Amino acid sequence: RAKESGRGRICTFTADMNRNVVERMRLLSRARLAFDRQAFTLHYQPQVATSDGRVRGFEALIRWTDSELGPVSPDRFIPVCEDSGLIVPLGLWVLETACIEAVGLACRGAGGVTMSVNMSAVQLAQHDFVPRVLEILSRTGLPPHRLELEITESQMIGSLDAAIGKLNALRQAGIHIALDDFGTGYSSLTYLRTLPINTLKLDKAFIDDVHRRPDARSMVSSISRIAHDLSRSVVAEGVEEAAQWEALSLMGCDLIQGYFVSRPLPADRIDAFLTAWEERRPGLPVIRHDVV
Ligand code: C2E
Ligand code: MG
Ligand code: MG
Ligand code: MG
């Protein structure tokens, strides 16, 4: 009897595994089709300086609504694209599209803003990653210092030396590097010191309670201080409320990104956002001394 139920469990487990494999294969074949049909788009989320409330840059975030699957979150399809290698051409498309958008923004008056682009470790591991990035910059005409590449440290486990070499080459070319999702997974202060990064992006998990809980506040202000001592700037991700902005700006966070400023926007809504933000911005930041 025990053997029977044991066998039953194994069967269920196998069936679940198969379902998972089938689902991922379907996702991958739809993603390949979407790539061929140019069905992916980018949205852009503003990053705003706490010092003066001005827009300093945008992060490009990939979007996909499939005709059969509906909207698919990047958290679901990026891992599948990484496992299959589709991320390599897809990532180059993202980079080129975002660079073109940044050049366009400059022509329309938002000259100094930076464009942040998420990079997968699979892309970084390509032997020709650095020349490909430089080639896209020269083809699109975006000055290197206006591009920021976002990487996560969990992705670099195992190939750290190679990754550092490439990041150094990109830095040498003038490109900025940001460490994304800091505070989740494998995060370690050692990475903050050893990786050649310009910017530290504090994960939303740190930010959620920052206006409510003293312990969350001590974490953020201590990490910010360390980052600043190491000449890294600090971006807070997932800021949704004015009270978080106020707390973060008092704690020395340099940039704010989140729904409080704006959701990620389709390219054709950036100009309207910039105009509307200029109207909304002057009241910010409201320093409320009871918050910290
Ligand atoms: P990420 O790079 O950490 O991006 C931040 C995520 O938080 C985005 O989710 C963004 O839409 C979301 N977000 C921003 N502000 C708020 C807020 O105030 N509240 C909440 N609840 N969420 C907020 P998204 O666009 O679904 O992307 C998820 C992840 O997928 C990204 O995390 C990134 O790791 C990956 N990703 C997105 N686009 C690309 C891409 O072009 N290439 C690669 N390799 N990865 C990408
Ligand atoms: Mg990111
Ligand atoms: Mg992040
Ligand atoms: Mg993330």
Side-chain angles (χ1 to χ4, degrees):
R1 187 149 292 193
K3 201 173 171 187
E4 252 167 46
S5 71
R7 201 181 298 142
R9 267 204 305 277
I10 288 168
C11 283
T12 317
F13 179 59
T14 311
D16 281 351
M17 258 172 44
N18 283 338
R19 218 172 338 211
N20 219 324
V21 169
V22 168
E23 211 219 277
R24 285 173 75 93
M25 280 176 63
R26 175 142 189 258
L27 205 53
L28 176 59
S29 75
R30 298 300 304 177
R32 285 208 165 105
L33 201 63
F35 180 68
D36 290 341
R37 293 179 177 171
Q38 305 186 316
F40 289 99
T41 58
L42 294 185
H43 282 194
Y44 301 90
Q45 188 176 38
Q47 299 179 333
V48 162
T50 52
S51 60
D52 57 7
R54 287 184 197 278
V55 175
R56 291 295 154 84
F58 289 87
E59 178 178 3
L61 292 156
I62 195 164
R63 292 292 178 265
W64 174 32
T65 300
D66 184 68
S67 55
E68 287 181 11
L69 305 170
V72 190
S73 148
D75 284 326
R76 259 183 80 206
F77 70 79
I78 293 287
V80 174
C81 293
E82 288 177 333
D83 289 350
S84 63
L86 181 58
I87 194 69
V88 173
L90 183 61
L92 291 172
W93 174 83
V94 169
L95 182 61
E96 174 156 0
T97 307
C99 288
I100 292 170
E101 188 56 39
V103 169
L105 270 170
C107 296
R108 304 195 307 271
V113 299
T114 59
M115 183 60 74
S116 301
V117 179
N118 292 286
M119 278 301 124
S120 158
V122 177
Q123 289 176 267
L124 190 61
Q126 299 295 301
H127 72 280
D128 60 350
F129 180 71
V130 174
R132 287 295 201 124
V133 171
L134 298 180
E135 188 242 324
I136 287 176
L137 282 176
S138 70
R139 189 145 38 86
T140 57
L142 185 69
H145 65 272
R146 304 246 326 274
L147 176 65
E148 181 170 73
L149 298 179
E150 297 193 359
I151 50 152
T152 62
E153 76 265 58
S154 60
Q155 302 176 320
M156 284 178 294
I157 302 275
S159 55
L160 202 56
D161 288 344
I164 289 177
K166 287 176 191 172
L167 295 177
N168 273 324
L170 294 164
R171 279 277 308 261
Q172 226 114 66
I175 295 164
H176 287 218
I177 309 292
L179 188 56
D180 203 357
D181 299 344
F182 192 83
T184 61
Y186 296 88
S187 290
S188 125
L189 290 172
T190 307
Y191 286 115
L192 182 51
R193 185 172 63 83
T194 51
L195 291 177
I197 56 161
N198 306 86
T199 305
L200 186 67
K201 296 193 78 175
L202 289 174
D203 193 74
K204 182 174 182 298
F206 272 137
I207 306 308
D208 284 339
D209 287 331
V210 86
H211 53 317
R212 282 191 291 254
R213 295 182 51 137
D215 53 351
R217 217 145 47 223
S218 342
M219 291 287 283
V220 170
S221 54
S222 304
I223 293 170
S224 297
R225 198 168 51 242
I226 295 170
H228 286 148
D229 285 349
L230 296 168
S231 307
R232 278 47 163 159
S233 65
V234 178
V235 181
E237 292 194 286
V239 176
E240 295 180 344
E241 296 175 35
Q244 290 172 317
W245 167 302
E246 289 154 13
L248 289 162
S249 89
L250 290 177
M251 287 184 289
C253 268
D254 304 286
L255 298 178
I256 296 289
Q257 184 180 346
Y259 296 171
F260 174 66
V261 175
S262 171
R263 290 189 174 248
L265 300 164
D268 62 7
R269 282 178 47 205
I270 294 178
D271 289 354
F273 160 78
L274 288 170
T275 310
W277 181 251
E278 277 307 300
E279 303 285 305
R280 211 180 128 199
R281 177 183 69 80
L284 291 166
V286 184
I287 308 282
R288 266 179 36 199
H289 289 283
D290 56 318
V291 177
V292 167

mmCIF file of all heavy atoms in Angstrom, residues 42 45 59-63 73-75 78 82 87 91 94 117-120 123 150 152 155 180-181 201 203-204 237-240 257-260 262 264, ligand 1:
data_model
loop_
_atom_site.group_PDB
_atom_site.id
_atom_site.type_symbol
_atom_site.label_atom_id
_atom_site.label_comp_id
_atom_site.label_asym_id
_atom_site.label_seq_id
_atom_site.Cartn_x
_atom_site.Cartn_y
_atom_site.Cartn_z
ATOM 1 N N LEU A 42 8.712 47.972 -26.005
ATOM 2 C CA LEU A 42 9.347 48.444 -24.776
ATOM 3 C C LEU A 42 8.477 49.521 -24.145
ATOM 4 O O LEU A 42 7.881 50.343 -24.853
ATOM 5 C CB LEU A 42 10.733 49.034 -25.060
ATOM 6 C CG LEU A 42 11.809 48.075 -25.562
ATOM 7 C CD1 LEU A 42 13.146 48.811 -25.679
ATOM 8 C CD2 LEU A 42 11.956 46.869 -24.642
ATOM 9 N N GLN A 45 10.150 53.568 -17.885
ATOM 10 C CA GLN A 45 9.746 54.099 -16.578
ATOM 11 C C GLN A 45 10.736 55.163 -16.115
ATOM 12 O O GLN A 45 11.944 54.917 -16.063
ATOM 13 C CB GLN A 45 9.680 52.976 -15.543
ATOM 14 C CG GLN A 45 9.072 53.465 -14.228
ATOM 15 C CD GLN A 45 8.890 52.361 -13.198
ATOM 16 O OE1 GLN A 45 9.724 51.470 -13.079
ATOM 17 N NE2 GLN A 45 7.807 52.434 -12.439
ATOM 18 N N GLU A 59 14.062 53.669 -17.435
ATOM 19 C CA GLU A 59 14.432 52.259 -17.575
ATOM 20 C C GLU A 59 13.534 51.638 -18.633
ATOM 21 O O GLU A 59 12.309 51.759 -18.573
ATOM 22 C CB GLU A 59 14.280 51.487 -16.259
ATOM 23 C CG GLU A 59 14.618 49.994 -16.448
ATOM 24 C CD GLU A 59 14.527 49.158 -15.167
ATOM 25 O OE1 GLU A 59 14.151 49.701 -14.107
ATOM 26 O OE2 GLU A 59 14.824 47.950 -15.250
ATOM 27 N N ALA A 60 14.151 50.963 -19.603
ATOM 28 C CA ALA A 60 13.394 50.248 -20.637
ATOM 29 C C ALA A 60 12.952 48.900 -20.080
ATOM 30 O O ALA A 60 13.759 48.165 -19.506
ATOM 31 C CB ALA A 60 14.276 50.046 -21.865
ATOM 32 N N LEU A 61 11.667 48.590 -20.223
ATOM 33 C CA LEU A 61 11.123 47.313 -19.729
ATOM 34 C C LEU A 61 10.326 46.654 -20.846
ATOM 35 O O LEU A 61 9.442 47.275 -21.451
ATOM 36 C CB LEU A 61 10.241 47.566 -18.502
ATOM 37 C CG LEU A 61 11.011 48.052 -17.266
ATOM 38 C CD1 LEU A 61 10.110 48.817 -16.309
ATOM 39 C CD2 LEU A 61 11.708 46.881 -16.570
ATOM 40 N N ILE A 62 10.664 45.402 -21.120
ATOM 41 C CA ILE A 62 10.062 44.724 -22.267
ATOM 42 C C ILE A 62 8.616 44.338 -21.973
ATOM 43 O O ILE A 62 8.270 44.001 -20.838
ATOM 44 C CB ILE A 62 10.920 43.507 -22.681
ATOM 45 C CG1 ILE A 62 10.527 43.010 -24.072
ATOM 46 C CG2 ILE A 62 10.835 42.393 -21.650
ATOM 47 C CD1 ILE A 62 11.555 42.092 -24.696
ATOM 48 N N ARG A 63 7.789 44.411 -23.011
ATOM 49 C CA ARG A 63 6.369 44.054 -22.901
ATOM 50 C C ARG A 63 5.985 43.131 -24.045
ATOM 51 O O ARG A 63 6.497 43.269 -25.166
ATOM 52 C CB ARG A 63 5.493 45.319 -22.965
ATOM 53 C CG ARG A 63 5.643 46.219 -21.749
ATOM 54 C CD ARG A 63 5.079 45.547 -20.519
ATOM 55 N NE ARG A 63 5.236 46.323 -19.298
ATOM 56 C CZ ARG A 63 6.242 46.181 -18.420
ATOM 57 N NH1 ARG A 63 7.218 45.318 -18.686
ATOM 58 N NH2 ARG A 63 6.278 46.890 -17.317
ATOM 59 N N SER A 73 4.122 38.284 -18.556
ATOM 60 C CA SER A 73 5.066 39.087 -17.787
ATOM 61 C C SER A 73 6.512 38.698 -18.134
ATOM 62 O O SER A 73 6.814 37.522 -18.343
ATOM 63 C CB SER A 73 4.794 38.875 -16.296
ATOM 64 O OG SER A 73 5.983 38.984 -15.560
ATOM 65 N N PRO A 74 7.411 39.689 -18.176
ATOM 66 C CA PRO A 74 8.819 39.359 -18.423
ATOM 67 C C PRO A 74 9.377 38.381 -17.389
ATOM 68 O O PRO A 74 10.254 37.583 -17.715
ATOM 69 C CB PRO A 74 9.543 40.705 -18.372
ATOM 70 C CG PRO A 74 8.543 41.716 -17.963
ATOM 71 C CD PRO A 74 7.189 41.127 -18.082
ATOM 72 N N ASP A 75 8.874 38.443 -16.158
ATOM 73 C CA ASP A 75 9.344 37.478 -15.155
ATOM 74 C C ASP A 75 9.070 36.036 -15.590
ATOM 75 O O ASP A 75 9.744 35.116 -15.159
ATOM 76 C CB ASP A 75 8.674 37.737 -13.794
ATOM 77 C CG ASP A 75 9.279 38.951 -13.103
ATOM 78 O OD1 ASP A 75 10.489 39.177 -13.257
ATOM 79 O OD2 ASP A 75 8.524 39.673 -12.423
ATOM 80 N N ILE A 78 11.254 35.864 -19.765
ATOM 81 C CA ILE A 78 12.714 36.081 -19.841
ATOM 82 C C ILE A 78 13.493 34.814 -19.466
ATOM 83 O O ILE A 78 14.411 34.423 -20.207
ATOM 84 C CB ILE A 78 13.159 37.313 -19.000
ATOM 85 C CG1 ILE A 78 12.618 38.618 -19.596
ATOM 86 C CG2 ILE A 78 14.683 37.362 -18.856
ATOM 87 C CD1 ILE A 78 13.272 39.093 -20.878
ATOM 88 N N GLU A 82 16.131 32.949 -21.799
ATOM 89 C CA GLU A 82 17.528 32.738 -21.381
ATOM 90 C C GLU A 82 17.949 31.288 -21.615
ATOM 91 O O GLU A 82 19.010 31.024 -22.176
ATOM 92 C CB GLU A 82 17.701 33.119 -19.903
ATOM 93 C CG GLU A 82 17.650 34.628 -19.691
ATOM 94 C CD GLU A 82 17.734 35.036 -18.230
ATOM 95 O OE1 GLU A 82 17.345 34.248 -17.341
ATOM 96 O OE2 GLU A 82 18.177 36.168 -17.973
ATOM 97 N N ILE A 87 17.272 35.014 -25.775
ATOM 98 C CA ILE A 87 17.566 36.290 -25.125
ATOM 99 C C ILE A 87 18.679 37.051 -25.839
ATOM 100 O O ILE A 87 18.736 38.279 -25.756
ATOM 101 C CB ILE A 87 17.939 36.070 -23.632
ATOM 102 C CG1 ILE A 87 17.901 37.388 -22.845
ATOM 103 C CG2 ILE A 87 19.322 35.437 -23.493
ATOM 104 C CD1 ILE A 87 16.543 37.964 -22.640
ATOM 105 N N GLY A 91 17.717 40.515 -26.669
ATOM 106 C CA GLY A 91 18.400 41.533 -25.869
ATOM 107 C C GLY A 91 19.055 42.602 -26.734
ATOM 108 O O GLY A 91 19.064 43.780 -26.367
ATOM 109 N N VAL A 94 16.306 44.858 -27.812
ATOM 110 C CA VAL A 94 15.932 45.753 -26.702
ATOM 111 C C VAL A 94 16.926 46.912 -26.617
ATOM 112 O O VAL A 94 16.538 48.082 -26.551
ATOM 113 C CB VAL A 94 15.892 44.991 -25.347
ATOM 114 C CG1 VAL A 94 15.777 45.967 -24.172
ATOM 115 C CG2 VAL A 94 14.741 43.987 -25.308
ATOM 116 N N VAL A 117 19.028 49.821 -19.375
ATOM 117 C CA VAL A 117 18.572 48.627 -20.092
ATOM 118 C C VAL A 117 18.968 47.391 -19.285
ATOM 119 O O VAL A 117 20.134 47.266 -18.869
ATOM 120 C CB VAL A 117 19.198 48.566 -21.511
ATOM 121 C CG1 VAL A 117 18.753 47.324 -22.258
ATOM 122 C CG2 VAL A 117 18.838 49.818 -22.312
ATOM 123 N N ASN A 118 18.014 46.489 -19.046
ATOM 124 C CA ASN A 118 18.304 45.255 -18.314
ATOM 125 C C ASN A 118 19.084 44.284 -19.186
ATOM 126 O O ASN A 118 18.744 44.061 -20.344
ATOM 127 C CB ASN A 118 16.992 44.590 -17.865
ATOM 128 C CG ASN A 118 16.273 45.412 -16.818
ATOM 129 O OD1 ASN A 118 16.687 45.468 -15.665
ATOM 130 N ND2 ASN A 118 15.198 46.077 -17.232
ATOM 131 N N MET A 119 20.134 43.708 -18.606
ATOM 132 C CA MET A 119 20.981 42.756 -19.319
ATOM 133 C C MET A 119 20.889 41.411 -18.635
ATOM 134 O O MET A 119 21.002 41.324 -17.411
ATOM 135 C CB MET A 119 22.449 43.188 -19.197
ATOM 136 C CG MET A 119 22.881 44.238 -20.166
ATOM 137 S SD MET A 119 22.665 43.713 -21.842
ATOM 138 C CE MET A 119 21.638 45.052 -22.417
ATOM 139 N N SER A 120 20.754 40.369 -19.402
ATOM 140 C CA SER A 120 20.781 39.032 -18.844
ATOM 141 C C SER A 120 22.226 38.537 -18.767
ATOM 142 O O SER A 120 23.060 38.911 -19.598
ATOM 143 C CB SER A 120 19.951 38.119 -19.737
ATOM 144 O OG SER A 120 20.341 36.788 -19.555
ATOM 145 N N GLN A 123 23.467 37.100 -21.917
ATOM 146 C CA GLN A 123 24.005 38.074 -22.879
ATOM 147 C C GLN A 123 25.436 38.438 -22.521
ATOM 148 O O GLN A 123 26.320 38.460 -23.382
ATOM 149 C CB GLN A 123 23.164 39.356 -22.860
ATOM 150 C CG GLN A 123 21.789 39.223 -23.448
ATOM 151 C CD GLN A 123 21.039 40.534 -23.277
ATOM 152 O OE1 GLN A 123 20.322 40.726 -22.312
ATOM 153 N NE2 GLN A 123 21.221 41.444 -24.226
ATOM 154 N N GLU A 150 21.848 47.411 -16.685
ATOM 155 C CA GLU A 150 21.480 46.862 -15.378
ATOM 156 C C GLU A 150 21.761 45.366 -15.343
ATOM 157 O O GLU A 150 21.308 44.620 -16.209
ATOM 158 C CB GLU A 150 19.989 47.100 -15.094
ATOM 159 C CG GLU A 150 19.623 48.560 -15.017
ATOM 160 C CD GLU A 150 18.242 48.799 -14.428
ATOM 161 O OE1 GLU A 150 17.549 47.808 -14.087
ATOM 162 O OE2 GLU A 150 17.857 49.971 -14.319
ATOM 163 N N THR A 152 22.157 41.841 -12.547
ATOM 164 C CA THR A 152 21.905 41.368 -11.178
ATOM 165 C C THR A 152 23.025 40.420 -10.778
ATOM 166 O O THR A 152 23.502 39.641 -11.603
ATOM 167 C CB THR A 152 20.552 40.631 -11.057
ATOM 168 O OG1 THR A 152 20.587 39.490 -11.898
ATOM 169 C CG2 THR A 152 19.401 41.519 -11.447
ATOM 170 N N GLN A 155 23.110 36.514 -11.222
ATOM 171 C CA GLN A 155 23.378 35.966 -12.546
ATOM 172 C C GLN A 155 24.849 35.717 -12.790
ATOM 173 O O GLN A 155 25.206 34.994 -13.710
ATOM 174 C CB GLN A 155 22.912 36.955 -13.611
ATOM 175 C CG GLN A 155 21.451 37.309 -13.509
ATOM 176 C CD GLN A 155 21.103 38.353 -14.539
ATOM 177 O OE1 GLN A 155 21.874 39.274 -14.788
ATOM 178 N NE2 GLN A 155 19.951 38.212 -15.164
ATOM 179 N N ASP A 180 21.223 45.681 -10.205
ATOM 180 C CA ASP A 180 19.766 45.674 -10.054
ATOM 181 C C ASP A 180 19.344 44.761 -8.904
ATOM 182 O O ASP A 180 20.091 43.851 -8.530
ATOM 183 C CB ASP A 180 19.144 45.162 -11.370
ATOM 184 C CG ASP A 180 17.711 45.600 -11.559
ATOM 185 O OD1 ASP A 180 17.136 46.259 -10.668
ATOM 186 O OD2 ASP A 180 17.145 45.280 -12.632
ATOM 187 N N ASP A 181 18.173 45.000 -8.359
ATOM 188 C CA ASP A 181 17.543 44.109 -7.367
ATOM 189 C C ASP A 181 18.421 43.874 -6.147
ATOM 190 O O ASP A 181 18.382 42.790 -5.551
ATOM 191 C CB ASP A 181 17.205 42.739 -7.997
ATOM 192 C CG ASP A 181 16.221 42.863 -9.148
ATOM 193 O OD1 ASP A 181 15.583 43.928 -9.263
ATOM 194 O OD2 ASP A 181 16.101 41.914 -9.925
ATOM 195 N N LYS A 201 20.777 49.620 -7.288
ATOM 196 C CA LYS A 201 19.318 49.729 -7.285
ATOM 197 C C LYS A 201 18.757 48.900 -6.143
ATOM 198 O O LYS A 201 18.861 47.666 -6.153
ATOM 199 C CB LYS A 201 18.734 49.262 -8.623
ATOM 200 C CG LYS A 201 19.175 50.139 -9.791
ATOM 201 C CD LYS A 201 18.355 49.873 -11.034
ATOM 202 C CE LYS A 201 16.989 50.530 -10.964
ATOM 203 N NZ LYS A 201 16.224 50.384 -12.231
ATOM 204 N N ASP A 203 16.166 46.971 -4.130
ATOM 205 C CA ASP A 203 14.954 46.269 -4.524
ATOM 206 C C ASP A 203 13.737 46.794 -3.776
ATOM 207 O O ASP A 203 13.824 47.251 -2.636
ATOM 208 C CB ASP A 203 15.114 44.771 -4.251
ATOM 209 C CG ASP A 203 14.023 43.970 -4.938
ATOM 210 O OD1 ASP A 203 14.095 43.824 -6.168
ATOM 211 O OD2 ASP A 203 13.078 43.538 -4.249
ATOM 212 N N LYS A 204 12.593 46.678 -4.425
ATOM 213 C CA LYS A 204 11.320 47.101 -3.867
ATOM 214 C C LYS A 204 11.065 46.504 -2.477
ATOM 215 O O LYS A 204 10.437 47.136 -1.625
ATOM 216 C CB LYS A 204 10.210 46.692 -4.834
ATOM 217 C CG LYS A 204 8.826 47.116 -4.415
ATOM 218 C CD LYS A 204 7.823 46.798 -5.520
ATOM 219 C CE LYS A 204 6.424 47.276 -5.135
ATOM 220 N NZ LYS A 204 5.914 46.614 -3.925
ATOM 221 N N GLU A 237 13.830 51.405 -6.023
ATOM 222 C CA GLU A 237 12.853 50.848 -6.968
ATOM 223 C C GLU A 237 11.515 50.626 -6.277
ATOM 224 O O GLU A 237 11.480 50.281 -5.102
ATOM 225 C CB GLU A 237 13.301 49.465 -7.445
ATOM 226 C CG GLU A 237 14.507 49.421 -8.311
ATOM 227 C CD GLU A 237 14.614 48.049 -8.985
ATOM 228 O OE1 GLU A 237 14.972 47.068 -8.313
ATOM 229 O OE2 GLU A 237 14.312 47.993 -10.182
ATOM 230 N N GLY A 238 10.438 50.753 -7.026
ATOM 231 C CA GLY A 238 9.117 50.380 -6.502
ATOM 232 C C GLY A 238 8.557 51.361 -5.496
ATOM 233 O O GLY A 238 7.841 50.972 -4.578
ATOM 234 N N VAL A 239 8.885 52.648 -5.671
ATOM 235 C CA VAL A 239 8.352 53.676 -4.776
ATOM 236 C C VAL A 239 6.922 54.004 -5.205
ATOM 237 O O VAL A 239 6.686 54.423 -6.339
ATOM 238 C CB VAL A 239 9.232 54.945 -4.816
ATOM 239 C CG1 VAL A 239 8.633 56.048 -3.955
ATOM 240 C CG2 VAL A 239 10.650 54.609 -4.392
ATOM 241 N N GLU A 240 5.985 53.766 -4.317
ATOM 242 C CA GLU A 240 4.568 53.921 -4.682
ATOM 243 C C GLU A 240 3.879 55.068 -3.972
ATOM 244 O O GLU A 240 2.800 55.497 -4.371
ATOM 245 C CB GLU A 240 3.813 52.609 -4.402
ATOM 246 C CG GLU A 240 4.306 51.453 -5.289
ATOM 247 C CD GLU A 240 3.572 50.140 -5.048
ATOM 248 O OE1 GLU A 240 2.889 50.017 -4.005
ATOM 249 O OE2 GLU A 240 3.699 49.242 -5.905
ATOM 250 N N GLN A 257 12.370 55.566 -8.429
ATOM 251 C CA GLN A 257 11.684 54.973 -9.574
ATOM 252 C C GLN A 257 10.493 54.207 -9.019
ATOM 253 O O GLN A 257 10.622 53.459 -8.066
ATOM 254 C CB GLN A 257 12.641 54.027 -10.304
ATOM 255 C CG GLN A 257 12.082 53.422 -11.574
ATOM 256 C CD GLN A 257 13.072 52.477 -12.258
ATOM 257 O OE1 GLN A 257 14.263 52.462 -11.942
ATOM 258 N NE2 GLN A 257 12.571 51.663 -13.166
ATOM 259 N N GLY A 258 9.326 54.386 -9.605
ATOM 260 C CA GLY A 258 8.161 53.641 -9.111
ATOM 261 C C GLY A 258 6.859 54.275 -9.536
ATOM 262 O O GLY A 258 6.848 55.356 -10.129
ATOM 263 N N TYR A 259 5.782 53.568 -9.221
ATOM 264 C CA TYR A 259 4.460 54.028 -9.635
ATOM 265 C C TYR A 259 4.143 55.417 -9.089
ATOM 266 O O TYR A 259 3.308 56.122 -9.638
ATOM 267 C CB TYR A 259 3.380 53.042 -9.176
ATOM 268 C CG TYR A 259 3.464 51.666 -9.804
ATOM 269 C CD1 TYR A 259 2.651 50.620 -9.333
ATOM 270 C CD2 TYR A 259 4.331 51.394 -10.862
ATOM 271 C CE1 TYR A 259 2.716 49.353 -9.896
ATOM 272 C CE2 TYR A 259 4.400 50.136 -11.419
ATOM 273 C CZ TYR A 259 3.599 49.116 -10.935
ATOM 274 O OH TYR A 259 3.660 47.856 -11.478
ATOM 275 N N PHE A 260 4.770 55.804 -7.974
ATOM 276 C CA PHE A 260 4.514 57.142 -7.428
ATOM 277 C C PHE A 260 4.838 58.213 -8.467
ATOM 278 O O PHE A 260 4.123 59.207 -8.590
ATOM 279 C CB PHE A 260 5.332 57.391 -6.161
ATOM 280 C CG PHE A 260 5.208 58.799 -5.666
ATOM 281 C CD1 PHE A 260 3.998 59.276 -5.186
ATOM 282 C CD2 PHE A 260 6.286 59.672 -5.723
ATOM 283 C CE1 PHE A 260 3.863 60.592 -4.756
ATOM 284 C CE2 PHE A 260 6.165 60.981 -5.294
ATOM 285 C CZ PHE A 260 4.953 61.438 -4.803
ATOM 286 N N SER A 262 5.614 57.356 -11.956
ATOM 287 C CA SER A 262 4.874 56.898 -13.133
ATOM 288 C C SER A 262 5.031 55.390 -13.297
ATOM 289 O O SER A 262 6.071 54.833 -12.946
ATOM 290 C CB SER A 262 5.408 57.584 -14.392
ATOM 291 O OG SER A 262 4.837 56.993 -15.551
ATOM 292 N N PRO A 264 5.585 52.269 -15.957
ATOM 293 C CA PRO A 264 6.298 52.235 -17.243
ATOM 294 C C PRO A 264 5.348 52.664 -18.372
ATOM 295 O O PRO A 264 4.194 52.247 -18.396
ATOM 296 C CB PRO A 264 6.689 50.756 -17.373
ATOM 297 C CG PRO A 264 6.705 50.230 -15.969
ATOM 298 C CD PRO A 264 5.615 50.976 -15.265
HETATM 299 P P1 C2E B 1 13.475 44.971 -12.813
HETATM 300 O O1 C2E B 1 14.533 45.300 -13.788
HETATM 301 O O2 C2E B 1 13.849 44.945 -11.378
HETATM 302 O O3 C2E B 1 12.307 46.000 -13.101
HETATM 303 C C1 C2E B 1 11.463 46.540 -12.116
HETATM 304 C C2 C2E B 1 10.102 45.905 -12.143
HETATM 305 O O4 C2E B 1 9.268 46.510 -11.148
HETATM 306 C C3 C2E B 1 9.343 46.093 -13.469
HETATM 307 O O5 C2E B 1 8.537 44.935 -13.658
HETATM 308 C C4 C2E B 1 8.472 47.322 -13.176
HETATM 309 O O6 C2E B 1 7.336 47.403 -14.027
HETATM 310 C C5 C2E B 1 8.098 47.044 -11.745
HETATM 311 N N1 C2E B 1 7.766 48.270 -10.995
HETATM 312 C C6 C2E B 1 8.277 49.521 -11.155
HETATM 313 N N2 C2E B 1 7.764 50.377 -10.256
HETATM 314 C C7 C2E B 1 6.920 49.667 -9.487
HETATM 315 C C8 C2E B 1 6.071 50.020 -8.369
HETATM 316 O O7 C2E B 1 6.024 51.149 -7.891
HETATM 317 N N3 C2E B 1 5.331 48.998 -7.828
HETATM 318 C C9 C2E B 1 5.372 47.718 -8.333
HETATM 319 N N4 C2E B 1 4.610 46.796 -7.742
HETATM 320 N N5 C2E B 1 6.162 47.361 -9.386
HETATM 321 C C10 C2E B 1 6.927 48.328 -9.944
HETATM 322 P P2 C2E B 1 8.422 44.231 -15.091
HETATM 323 O O8 C2E B 1 8.389 45.268 -16.158
HETATM 324 O O9 C2E B 1 7.325 43.238 -14.993
HETATM 325 O O10 C2E B 1 9.815 43.476 -15.238
HETATM 326 C C11 C2E B 1 10.160 42.433 -14.377
HETATM 327 C C12 C2E B 1 11.599 42.013 -14.550
HETATM 328 O O11 C2E B 1 11.798 41.444 -15.855
HETATM 329 C C13 C2E B 1 12.580 43.176 -14.484
HETATM 330 O O12 C2E B 1 12.837 43.513 -13.139
HETATM 331 C C14 C2E B 1 13.774 42.597 -15.197
HETATM 332 O O13 C2E B 1 14.508 41.767 -14.327
HETATM 333 C C15 C2E B 1 13.111 41.732 -16.261
HETATM 334 N N6 C2E B 1 13.108 42.484 -17.529
HETATM 335 C C16 C2E B 1 12.244 43.422 -17.985
HETATM 336 N N7 C2E B 1 12.599 43.874 -19.204
HETATM 337 C C17 C2E B 1 13.732 43.206 -19.548
HETATM 338 C C18 C2E B 1 14.610 43.223 -20.694
HETATM 339 O O14 C2E B 1 14.432 43.992 -21.658
HETATM 340 N N8 C2E B 1 15.679 42.364 -20.671
HETATM 341 C C19 C2E B 1 15.925 41.537 -19.604
HETATM 342 N N9 C2E B 1 16.990 40.721 -19.662
HETATM 343 N N10 C2E B 1 15.133 41.510 -18.514
HETATM 344 C C20 C2E B 1 14.054 42.325 -18.480
#
